Structures are given as C-alpha cells and as structure tokens.
C-alpha cells in the first residue's frame, strides 16, 4: 500500500470527523468496572501434579501458599461475595484454577450446584470455565458436570508431543501429552455443549515452530478455539526452560533473542491464519486475534487491558482476595479477604485509565491493548502501570495479525458473530465498550485501504 493512498485515506477520515477524540471521551465517561462481567478466579488448591518448566506458580503453591479451598465456609464466602457484587440480570463467571483444580473436584461441584441455586433465586447467570492440565483420570462424574454446566475447558497443551513433553513433564519428568490427548477426546466425545480450548504457551526455543505446533493440534480436530500466549521466563527459570540452548549468553541477551523469535513466529502465524478456517475442521479462531478483530470491526475501545482489580478477583486457600491470579500470596497486592469487601485504595492502581498512564497514553494502539498485563509490567519494570517494550511489541503484533486477517478475509468472515468471545475470558476478561462512533459518523465513501482501522484511531 503506497504512502499516498494511506495519506488520502487519513485525509478522508479527518474531513469526515473520524479522527476525533471519541475513544478518549468514551473512556472518560466510563466507570472502571464498565465493559466486563464480574469474574472470580477460584484458586482451588496449591497442589499440582506437573512440573512445567516455565510455571509462574512454582509448582502450584506460588512458593507462598498451602492448602485448598473447602466445600463449606469457603464456598459460602465466595457466594456471599457474588451476592454483594452482582445484580439481577447480570452474568458472573467462575474460573476454576490452581495448582491443578481437578485435584479439588468436590469443591468445584459444590460451587456449580450452589451457584445454580443462587442464580435461580437472584436472577444471575453463571458461566463456568476451568484451566486444567487435564492429566487426571476422567470418569462420568467429571464429564457429566462439564456437560451439565456447559463448561469451557481450557486445556494447557503446548503443541506437538515433543514440544509439549519438553515444556510440561510430570513431577517424575515423564511426558504428559498422551494422557491429556486421551482426555481431550473423552471431553470432545461427551458433548458439544462443552467448549474445548487449546491453551498453548509458546516457548521460543531457537528450533521451535509455532505454526507447526498449531498445525499439530489443529489436525486432531477436537479444539474449538486456540489461546496462544508466549511464556514469560524469569531469570531464575531460564536454565530450566531452555537448558543450554543459549549457551553462556547473558539473561538480557536471551530475552532479546526470545522477543525476536516470538515476534517472527507470530508473524508467520498471522500469515497462515486465514488458511486455518478449512471446511470440516471445528477450529473457530485464536482467541486473542479474534478479539482484536471484533474490536476493530465493531468499534470497541478497551477499558483496561484485563479485568484484574476491576471486575476480576482471585480467591485463594490463604483466604486472600487478589486482583490477579499470578500474584497470589504477594501480600502487597492483596485487595481483600474472605467475608470482607474490596479495598478501594488497593485497587486504585489497577483501575488507572489509559489516558492517565505514562507511556501508554502516547501509544498508537492504546485503545485496543489497554495497557498490557500488569503482572508482566511489574516483573519487567517494578511498576504495574509501566510496560515492558518487548511485551508491547507482542501487542502490536497481535493487532497486525488482526488487520491482516481482516484485509485477507471475505464479507462472511467479517460478519461472523464474535459476541461469544466475551464468555471465553480472553485476555483475562478485557473490558471493552462501544465507542459509539460508527452510529454518529459514517465511514467516508472514498476510503480504500484503512477500513479495518476505522475504529482504532483517536
Ligand atoms: S502496547 Fe505497550 S505502550 Fe501500548 S498500550 Fe499496550 S502496554 Fe501500553
Ligand atoms: S492480564 Fe495479567 S495482570 Fe491482568 S489478570 Fe491476567 S495475568 Fe493478571
């Protein structure tokens, strides 16, 4: 696309009033909690049976917590929180998490049945999602609950058998791929009411191929959606994750090479993305890319990168309430305790608007990205509201993939209904709002190349 054509398009948009401050005004008028449903991460147990190389939870207990949630008082406290914070007609999501949540299955059952009763009484709709390694034996008891409550089962599976087993061995060091795949087939065969998500963590080994790993899982034709995020590898885990793949290179140099590799692999994924929509395969998309596509096509603005500390809270066996599941046990981030209310002062930094956030307020994609993952920001810069440029690069790549897909797609693809993505907890429940611009300012006729970007501009 030549610069002249782009300039013509931009001039046409400016003349029609499209290059205005709609997004800014929309966010100024919004409350921090607008744009996403209440979502509760239920951290069921500190125990996990796998020993994944990149695990941020240090084997399930975050190195900081012990025990598990119980079916009695703990479940009651969580439901009490729902009663206090959700109104009739609203939707509330449970995200079953751990450790490995299936180890505490009876508490999952208790929450499902008792929330259903509460929903009938109070007019609240509940959604149920589990993040699981799916290695444990599945019986009719588990499968029936998944089907009965129309679970989204998000399975941690990283690609081909070789890739997965390198990243996600069990505690004895043996591969977990075969056991997981058998269970995925059981879930798939049990009911189409269960949404099966392949939750891939991409580890940028020098010899890895993200596209090959996506294709390996795609070929099984059992996953509805893919969710693919790059691993965050801390200094202390770099040897565990990469062994001697990078020789004696300094950590900073390894990070730079990894960021380059992540970017080039996602670029390749973007280039083949539309080829994944083949007849006969149940693949519906990559969640992060489809969400950005929806935001661009429907004119949405992000009211935060995620719902952490806004409408999303983690309930753990230490009876803390945290704004993010990755910060469990970090006392300085605690925002409440079971039986109590949310501390307004503690959540304030989590609710900072993008236009008030240094660095992000000047970023071209701020109304789509919403400011980056605050936990990753904190790891990189010691400030939850100051991003890591390498992570920003990934956000730009996602937007690029989405624009490329729109540009290469036909009208039927663009018209797909993507509202269901809101139920799938993409980007930890990114809150989005309609900017309202498309109703007020129609797109100028003479636009030729920037149509996909109409809603992304100021
Ligand atoms: S890409 Fe980076 S700078 Fe831009 S909004 Fe996201 S986190 Fe902020
Ligand atoms: S996006 Fe990051 S900060 Fe937000 S809830 Fe998820 S892990 Fe936590």
């Amino acid at each position: 696309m030549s610069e002249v054509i782009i300039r013509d398009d931009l001039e046409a948009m400016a003349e029609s009033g499209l290059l205005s401050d709609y997004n800014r005004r929309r966010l100024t008028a919004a409350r921090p909690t607008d744009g996403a449903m209440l979502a509760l991460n239920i951290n069921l147990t500190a125990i996990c049976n796998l020993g994944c190389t990149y695990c941020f939870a240090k084997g399930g207990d975050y190195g900081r917590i012990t025990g598990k949630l119980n079916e009695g008082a703990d479940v009651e406290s969580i439901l009490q929180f729902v009663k206090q914070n959700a109104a009739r007609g609203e939707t509330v999501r449970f995200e079953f998490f751990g450790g490995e949540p299936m180890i505490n299955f009876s508490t999952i059952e208790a929450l499902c049945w008792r929330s259903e009763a509460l929903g009938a009484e109070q007019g609240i709709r509940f959604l149920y999602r589990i993040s699981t390694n799916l290695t444990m034996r599945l019986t009719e008891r588990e499968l029936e609950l998944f089907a009965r409550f129309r679970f989204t089962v998000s399975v941690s599976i990283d690609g081909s058998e070789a890739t997965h087993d390198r990243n996600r061995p069990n505690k004895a060091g043996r591969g977990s791929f075969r056991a997981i795949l058998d269970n995925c087939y059981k879930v798939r065969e049990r009911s189409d009411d269960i949404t099966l998500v392949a939750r891939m963590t991409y580890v940028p080994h020098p010899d890895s191929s993200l596209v090959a790993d996506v294709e390996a899982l795609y070929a099984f034709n059992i996953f509805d959606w893919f969710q693919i995020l790059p691993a965050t590898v801390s200094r202390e885990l770099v040897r565990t994750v990469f062994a001697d793949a990078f020789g004696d290179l300094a950590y900073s140099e390894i990070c730079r090479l990894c960021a380059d590799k992540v970017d080039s692999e996602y670029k390749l994924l973007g280039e083949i993305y539309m080829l994944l929509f083949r007849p006969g395969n149940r693949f519906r998309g990559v969640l992060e890319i489809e969400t950005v596509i929806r935001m661009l096509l429907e004119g949405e603005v992000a009211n935060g990168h995620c719902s952490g500390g806004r409408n999303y809270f983690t309930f753990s066996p230490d009876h803390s309430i945290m704004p993010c599941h990755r910060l469990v046990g970090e006392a300085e981030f605690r925002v409440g305790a079971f039986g109590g209310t949310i501390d307004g002062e503690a959540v304030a930094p989590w609710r900072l608007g993008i236009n008030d956030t240094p660095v992000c307020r000047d970023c071209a994609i701020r109304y789509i990205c919403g400011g980056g993952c605050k936990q990753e920001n904190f790891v990189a810069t010691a400030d939850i509201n100051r991003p890591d440029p390498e992570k920003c690069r990934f956000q730009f790549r996602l937007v690029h993939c989405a624009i490329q897909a729109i540009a290469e797609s036909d009208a039927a693809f663009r018209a797909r209904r993507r509202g269901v993505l809101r139920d799938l907890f993409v980007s930890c429940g990114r809150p989005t709002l309609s900017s309202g611009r498309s109703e007020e300012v129609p797109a100028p006729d003479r636009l030729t190349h920037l149509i996909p970007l109409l809603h992304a501009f100021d």
Side-chain angles (χ1 to χ4, degrees):
M1 168 183 350
S2 82
E3 284 178 19
V4 174
I5 292 173
I6 294 174
R7 196 191 59 213
D8 285 350
D9 274 6
L10 287 172
E11 282 173 0
M13 289 164 78
E15 281 166 20
S16 66
L18 273 165
L19 298 187
S20 63
D21 63 351
Y22 266 81
N23 290 339
R24 176 184 296 274
R25 276 187 273 143
R26 183 68 188 91
L27 291 185
T28 303
R31 295 170 302 177
T33 51
D34 286 346
M37 64 187 76
L38 180 66
L40 308 188
N41 180 296
I42 311 300
N43 184 10
L44 284 141
T45 171
I47 298 168
C48 183
N49 55 331
L50 292 192
C52 302
T53 58
Y54 46 67
C55 181
F56 64 81
K58 300 187 176 161
D61 65 4
Y62 299 77
R64 303 182 285 261
I65 62 165
T66 55
K68 62 178 187 170
L69 295 179
N70 66 50
E71 299 158 41
D74 290 346
V75 165
E76 196 48 47
S77 287
I78 291 164
L79 293 176
Q80 195 58 35
F81 186 88
V82 172
K83 276 192 214 170
Q84 286 164 355
N85 291 281
R88 183 169 289 277
E90 290 185 356
T91 299
V92 175
R93 145 188 304 289
F94 285 124
E95 166 76 12
F96 299 117
F97 205 78
E100 171 45 47
M102 296 290 281
I103 289 173
N104 190 3
F105 194 72
S106 56
T107 300
I108 296 176
E109 289 175 314
L111 257 170
C112 288
W113 290 108
R114 288 169 64 185
S115 61
E116 184 180 66
L118 177 68
E121 184 188 303
Q122 308 253 328
I124 297 169
R125 178 176 81 118
F126 286 93
L127 296 172
Y128 306 90
R129 180 178 188 267
I130 186 165
S131 287
T132 173
N133 62 38
L134 212 67
T135 52
M136 307 210 18
R137 197 168 76 87
L138 283 185
T139 67
E140 181 57 20
R141 176 181 170 193
E142 292 85 18
L143 293 168
E144 173 55 22
L145 195 85
F146 289 167
R148 168 70 176 71
F149 288 91
R150 304 174 72 90
F151 264 62
T152 296
V153 177
S154 178
V155 184
S156 301
I157 186 164
D158 286 359
S160 70
E161 184 165 2
T163 298
H164 179 90
D165 285 347
R166 178 178 59 193
N167 297 345
R168 303 182 65 83
N170 64 21
K171 288 241 158 74
R174 283 193 292 276
S176 55
F177 184 84
R178 284 286 143 195
I180 296 167
L181 192 62
D182 286 351
N183 280 336
C184 286
Y185 272 105
K186 282 184 190 155
V187 169
R188 181 70 293 140
E189 284 158 14
R190 182 63 176 76
S191 172
D192 275 338
D193 286 342
I194 305 169
T195 300
L196 196 55
V197 178
R199 168 63 172 92
M200 295 175 66
T201 297
Y202 174 60
V203 178
H205 272 273
D207 61 351
S208 63
S209 165
L210 176 59
V211 169
D213 281 319
V214 169
E215 291 276 10
L217 293 179
Y218 178 93
F220 296 118
N221 193 13
I222 52 177
F223 299 105
D224 300 293
W225 300 91
F226 283 58
Q227 184 164 32
I228 313 168
L229 295 169
T232 297
V233 182
S234 62
R235 186 185 293 271
E236 59 179 323
L237 286 180
V238 78
R239 288 282 158 197
T240 316
V241 173
F242 293 113
D244 55 4
F246 290 104
D248 291 331
L249 285 182
Y251 178 67
S252 58
E253 182 64 7
I254 294 173
C255 290
R256 195 187 61 73
L257 291 173
C258 286
D260 286 347
K261 179 74 173 163
V262 166
D263 191 57
S264 62
E265 291 295 314
Y266 275 79
K267 181 171 185 288
L268 291 172
L269 179 65
E271 285 166 6
I272 62 106
Y273 186 64
M274 293 307 296
L275 300 176
L276 294 171
F277 295 89
R278 297 174 210 146
N281 195 295
R282 62 187 303 137
F283 174 83
R284 297 177 68 187
V286 173
L287 292 175
E288 294 74 23
I289 297 175
E290 290 294 318
T291 296
V292 177
I293 290 174
R294 192 197 68 215
M295 293 179 74
L296 290 172
L297 290 177
E298 297 183 18
E300 294 175 13
V301 53
N303 190 22
H305 180 78
C306 66
S307 289
R310 292 172 183 256
N311 267 354
Y312 174 54
F313 300 99
T314 294
F315 290 71
S316 287
D318 64 356
H319 291 167
S320 65
I321 302 178
M322 304 297 289
C324 165
H325 55 275
R326 290 188 185 169
L327 292 169
V328 165
E330 292 274 12
E332 65 179 297
F333 289 106
R334 195 174 169 122
V335 296
F338 281 31
T341 53
I342 295 298
D343 176 344
E345 209 174 307
V347 290
W350 292 79
R351 298 178 170 189
L352 191 65
I354 195 81
N355 290 316
D356 299 318
T357 306
V359 182
C360 294
R361 67 181 163 218
D362 298 318
C363 171
I365 61 165
R366 62 194 177 281
Y367 295 128
I368 296 172
C369 167
C373 166
K374 292 189 189 307
Q375 184 268 347
E376 290 178 356
N377 291 353
F378 181 74
V379 169
T381 68
D383 180 346
I384 63 170
N385 286 310
R386 181 166 289 272
D388 172 2
E390 296 297 2
K391 303 289 182 191
C392 297
R393 194 174 166 195
F394 177 64
Q395 296 302 323
F396 273 83
R397 176 57 61 196
L398 280 180
V399 173
H400 188 280
C401 289
I403 291 171
Q404 186 169 7
I406 294 169
E408 291 172 1
S409 64
D410 58 15
F413 177 83
R414 293 195 289 274
R416 285 176 67 193
R417 296 170 73 86
R418 293 183 172 83
V420 65
L421 292 162
R422 294 183 197 288
D423 289 352
L424 294 172
F425 204 54
V426 187
S427 300
C428 298
R430 180 169 304 171
T432 65
L433 304 162
S434 169
S435 72
R437 174 169 33 203
S438 53
E439 293 93 69
E440 289 187 37
V441 186
D445 292 339
R446 70 172 217 256
L447 222 55
T448 51
H449 278 79
L450 293 180
I451 292 166
L453 288 169
L454 276 180
H455 301 293
F457 286 102
D458 227 350

